[in-house]
């Protein structure tokens, strides 16, 4: 693995915080050299300590957690929300969900507008397998914070787990409003619509698969989806659907040409197209 410079590590970690990317092993690896000279980071070091604490919990590295946590505790005190959230997440990691929930309730009494304790309450319900409660809490959260894409992403995920496709459809529509150029949102909405079935949903599915492909022509999943839904619609004589199916098949062939799994592609395309006449 190529060495990463100090400035590259700092910039990458900052981007990961901004985008709420959860890649704990990568966080710990990139943060290690920065934490050896924390004074060079200025006040940014406290955001890094929080980031490393969460990553340490994910990777079961209590010694790293304790080291960064102690510095945050010394700087902000036991009553601060940022320290309280880490207390709650540590309890979650230990499986002490009721104690963690009590901690988040305590934080919300002190700061009723704080979003993160509400999100952690959703995470606790999910961890306990209580998806109904998780959905209720998440709905309440999104009523207060409707512009949070992470909340809508979780709503879509929970809805799919519970086969509530209308809710998942609405969630992905909200995500597309926040970021219309994210090909994954279009692709996932298309998949939900395809699953729901019916001519109207299939037509919308084709539209969003096509947009996903336009935004990322290298997405094999979007191309497969476009091929499948277009092929199904073309059976009723839809010429545009037939053209899109041909385009998707051509792009898939280009994507897999000369690769080890090219025969698998050919087999799948044969299944979708049906036996030759």
């Amino acid at each position: 693995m190529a060495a990463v410079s100090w400035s590259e590590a700092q910039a990458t970690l900052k981007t990961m915080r901004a985008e709420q990317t959860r890649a704990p092993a990568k966080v710990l690896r990139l943060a290690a050299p920065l934490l050896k000279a924390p004074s060079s980071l200025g006040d940014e070091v406290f955001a890094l300590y929080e980031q490393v604490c969460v990553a340490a919990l994910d990777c079961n590295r209590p010694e790293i957690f304790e080291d960064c946590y102690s510095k945050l505790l010394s700087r902000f005190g036991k009553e601060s929300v940022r320290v309280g959230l880490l207390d709650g997440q540590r309890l979650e990691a230990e499986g002490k969900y009721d104690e963690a929930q009590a901690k988040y309730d305590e934080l919300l009494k002190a700061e009723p507008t704080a979003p993160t304790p509400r999100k952690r309450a959703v995470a606790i319900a999910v961890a306990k397998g209580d998806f109904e409660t998780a959905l209720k809490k998440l709905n309440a959260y999104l009523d207060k914070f409707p512009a949070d894409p992470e909340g809508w992403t979780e709503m879509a995920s929970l809805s799919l787990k519970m086969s509530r496709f209308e809710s998942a459809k609405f969630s992905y529509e909200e995500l597309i409003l926040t970021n219309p150029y994210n090909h994954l949102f279009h692709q996932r909405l298309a998949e939900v619509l395809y699953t729901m079935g019916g001519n109207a949903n299939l037509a919308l599915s084709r539209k969003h698969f096509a947009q996903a492909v336009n935004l990322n022509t290298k997405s094999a999943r979007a191309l497969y989806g476009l091929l499948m839904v277009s092929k199904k619609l073309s059976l009723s004589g839809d010429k545009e659907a037939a053209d899109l199916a041909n385009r998707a098949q051509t792009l898939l062939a280009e994507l897999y040409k000369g690769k080890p799994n090219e025969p698998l592609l050919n087999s799948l395309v044969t299944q979708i197209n049906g036996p030759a006449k």
Side-chain angles (χ1 to χ4, degrees):
M1 185 179 294
V4 178
S5 71
W6 172 287
S7 59
E8 288 173 332
Q10 182 182 10
T12 300
L13 287 165
K14 188 173 183 179
T15 299
M16 292 174 74
R17 289 195 298 273
E19 296 179 351
Q20 298 181 330
T21 302
R22 196 148 181 170
K26 183 176 181 180
V27 167
L28 295 184
R29 176 172 56 82
L30 291 174
L34 276 61
L35 293 175
K36 291 177 181 177
S39 60
S40 302
L41 296 170
D43 287 342
E44 184 185 338
V45 72
F46 298 111
L48 179 61
Y49 284 147
E50 287 183 82
Q51 187 178 18
V52 171
C53 278
V54 174
L57 288 174
D58 286 345
C59 291
N60 193 25
R61 297 293 302 275
E63 75 285 359
I64 297 177
F65 175 89
E66 290 297 342
D67 182 51
C68 293
Y69 174 85
S70 65
K71 294 178 173 64
L72 289 167
L73 182 62
S74 175
R75 173 65 176 80
F76 298 105
K78 190 73 174 177
E79 302 305 314
S80 75
V81 171
R82 68 201 308 173
V83 171
L85 285 169
L86 290 172
D87 286 333
Q89 287 174 270
R90 172 163 51 183
L91 289 167
E92 285 184 64
E94 295 171 352
K96 300 175 181 177
Y97 297 127
D98 291 341
E99 292 179 47
Q101 183 63 65
K103 184 64 184 180
Y104 297 139
D105 290 342
E106 178 187 317
L107 293 174
L108 282 172
K109 286 180 182 178
E111 286 202 32
T113 59
T116 308
R118 300 175 190 274
K119 294 169 81 170
R120 296 313 311 166
V122 174
I124 287 173
V126 172
K128 293 167 73 173
D130 188 354
F131 296 146
E132 285 289 352
T133 297
L135 277 177
K136 289 177 183 177
K137 288 179 179 290
L138 191 51
N139 270 314
Y141 171 81
L142 288 170
D143 282 344
K144 291 182 177 293
F145 305 97
D148 181 4
E150 188 179 23
W152 287 113
T153 300
E154 182 64 18
M155 176 63 81
S157 176
L158 279 173
S159 298
L160 289 174
K161 285 179 181 177
M162 301 177 74
S163 298
R164 296 185 179 178
F165 298 114
E166 281 289 350
S167 176
K169 171 178 171 286
F170 183 80
S171 300
Y172 283 124
E173 288 170 343
E174 289 294 314
L175 286 166
I176 287 171
L177 287 175
T178 66
N179 187 353
Y181 300 107
N182 186 316
H183 78 278
L184 289 174
F185 294 159
H186 287 280
Q187 174 191 300
R188 287 168 184 164
L189 174 56
E191 290 170 350
V192 171
L193 289 163
Y194 185 88
T195 301
M196 292 172 71
N199 289 337
N201 286 329
L202 290 176
L204 277 174
S205 176
R206 180 184 67 185
K207 172 185 172 183
H208 286 285
F209 271 130
Q211 181 63 1
V213 170
N214 286 336
L215 292 168
N216 181 8
T217 58
K218 302 297 184 183
S219 172
R221 186 161 167 168
L223 286 166
Y224 277 123
L226 181 60
L227 174 58
M228 290 177 66
V229 72
S230 297
K231 190 66 180 179
K232 182 172 287 192
L233 289 169
S234 71
L235 296 176
S236 61
D238 187 330
K239 185 179 183 306
E240 182 183 357
D243 291 341
L244 281 172
N246 289 333
R247 182 195 175 206
Q249 188 168 330
T250 299
L251 289 172
L252 279 167
E254 292 174 358
L255 189 62
Y256 284 92
K257 186 177 181 179
K259 295 183 178 178
N261 46 7
E262 185 177 8
L264 176 60
L265 165 68
N266 295 332
S267 175
L268 289 172
V269 169
T270 298
Q271 290 180 42
I272 295 169
N273 287 333
K277 296 181 180 179

